Amino acid sequence: MSYKSLCSEFYDLTKPTPTPKEWHFYNNLVKQYAGPCLEAMCGSGRLLLPLLEQGYEVDGVDNATNMLKLCKTKCSVRFPKLNLFEQNLENLELPYKYKLIFISIGSFQHIKKIDEAVISLRKLHDHLSPNGTLVIETFAKENLIPDNPKSPLAFKWRCNSKKGYEIINKSIAQFIEPNLILNQMQYEKWENGHLQKTEKNAWHIRAYEEKEMKQMLSEAGFNSITIAHKSFEYNPHAIIYFANQQSKYI
């Protein structure tokens, strides 16, 4: 999955900061660990920046070049020594180990194939300190496309930049497999009534049953897997998995 330039900018404009319930959860989560922590699939720094502002030791990793550019721009002045890595989780090779690794707002579900997801979980497992913890937030299936899953659903969103231009997102989403959604998007940038730029983007979102996700975590070497159900503003039916490291894969 890739976030192109308009897609990244639209995301950053519509989700610039964590919402109150989300912030309460992740702030308290990171506070429990003396550090270091890693936000995997950190995007444009929506959570990473406010956590750094609290004085926490948090690194970031993502494979989306345009999202990381936005993150670097926001963090570079105040946090010039921030460790920010551009890598896929399936090939993750970082020089550090972490007491906590977390993935927020369903980003993990953008990994299309189940075998790639398991490999990614193993890589995350290998980057945890002994007895470290992985926390993954996912969307419940019914919250991904709440209406008829057999028919494509069209969505349209608008957002305005402080610089005076508007970005429009036209999306068509549908289940192409029982638990796999294809979301096709067209972005338009308008300024003073004139179309300045268009961009097409597409990504997949995989829904996981709780039993399936727990099995994947177990296969990746985690134990003491627990589940919490939370309600956040962006994710009213969030399912959050807490998994502790084991020394060897099962």
Side-chain angles (χ1 to χ4, degrees), residues 87-102:
Q87 293 187 28
N88 288 310
L89 294 189
E90 302 99 293
N91 303 305
L92 194 65
E93 293 293 342
L94 303 182
Y96 307 109
K97 300 283 188 178
Y98 300 93
K99 293 184 178 180
L100 169 71
I101 300 175
F102 63 96

Side-chain angles (χ1 to χ4, degrees), residues 19-168:
T19 56
K21 291 180 181 178
E22 181 185 34
W23 172 246
H24 177 77
F25 174 81
Y26 284 102
N27 181 46
N28 286 340
L29 176 69
V30 174
K31 189 187 297 184
Q32 296 176 34
Y33 296 83
C37 302
L38 174 70
E39 182 182 6
M41 309 180 89
C42 64
S44 61
R46 185 177 59 88
L47 271 171
L48 184 60
L49 180 58
L51 288 170
L52 292 170
E53 289 173 340
Q54 292 294 310
Y56 301 129
E57 185 180 354
V58 188
D59 294 346
V61 63
D62 204 299
N63 70 341
T65 300
N66 290 295
M67 293 288 268
L68 284 181
K69 285 181 179 178
L70 292 171
C71 187
K72 288 177 182 178
T73 298
K74 291 188 285 187
C75 296
S76 61
V77 175
R78 295 187 58 189
F79 306 102
K81 296 183 179 181
L82 168 65
N83 292 316
L84 200 58
F85 305 97
E86 183 175 348
Q87 293 187 28
N88 288 310
L89 294 189
E90 302 99 293
N91 303 305
L92 194 65
E93 293 293 342
L94 303 182
Y96 307 109
K97 300 283 188 178
Y98 300 93
K99 293 184 178 180
L100 169 71
I101 300 175
F102 63 96
I103 303 176
S104 70
I105 201 168
S107 297
F108 183 79
Q109 292 168 270
H110 284 307
I111 301 174
K112 179 182 176 181
K113 297 180 180 179
I114 293 177
D115 59 343
E116 292 177 353
V118 173
I119 292 170
S120 298
L121 292 173
R122 286 179 175 171
K123 285 292 187 177
L124 293 170
H125 173 280
D126 291 344
H127 283 79
L128 284 169
S129 302
N131 301 313
T133 301
L134 174 68
V135 177
I136 299 180
E137 176 190 345
T138 65
F139 284 91
K141 183 176 181 179
E142 60 271 19
N143 203 39
L144 291 171
I145 298 183
D147 298 311
N148 184 358
K150 297 180 180 180
S151 302
L153 294 178
F155 304 90
K156 185 176 181 179
W157 294 277
R158 299 173 180 267
C159 69
N160 294 305
S161 165
K162 293 181 180 179
K163 296 180 180 179
Y165 58 83
E166 179 184 50
I167 300 178
I168 299 173

Side-chain angles (χ1 to χ4, degrees), residues 195-213:
L195 180 62
Q196 302 294 323
K197 183 178 180 180
T198 62
E199 175 185 284
K200 290 186 178 181
N201 226 78
W203 62 50
H204 294 84
I205 306 173
R206 180 169 290 280
Y208 291 104
E209 304 293 340
E210 292 182 15
K211 182 178 179 180
E212 180 183 27
M213 190 68 181

Side-chain angles (χ1 to χ4, degrees), residues 173-211:
Q174 66 180 122
F175 278 95
I176 58 174
E177 295 177 9
N179 288 318
L180 185 65
I181 294 171
L182 173 62
N183 192 6
Q184 301 179 83
M185 297 151 286
Q186 177 167 305
Y187 293 88
E188 299 175 352
K189 182 177 180 179
W190 292 82
E191 189 169 6
N192 299 322
H194 298 284
L195 180 62
Q196 302 294 323
K197 183 178 180 180
T198 62
E199 175 185 284
K200 290 186 178 181
N201 226 78
W203 62 50
H204 294 84
I205 306 173
R206 180 169 290 280
Y208 291 104
E209 304 293 340
E210 292 182 15
K211 182 178 179 180

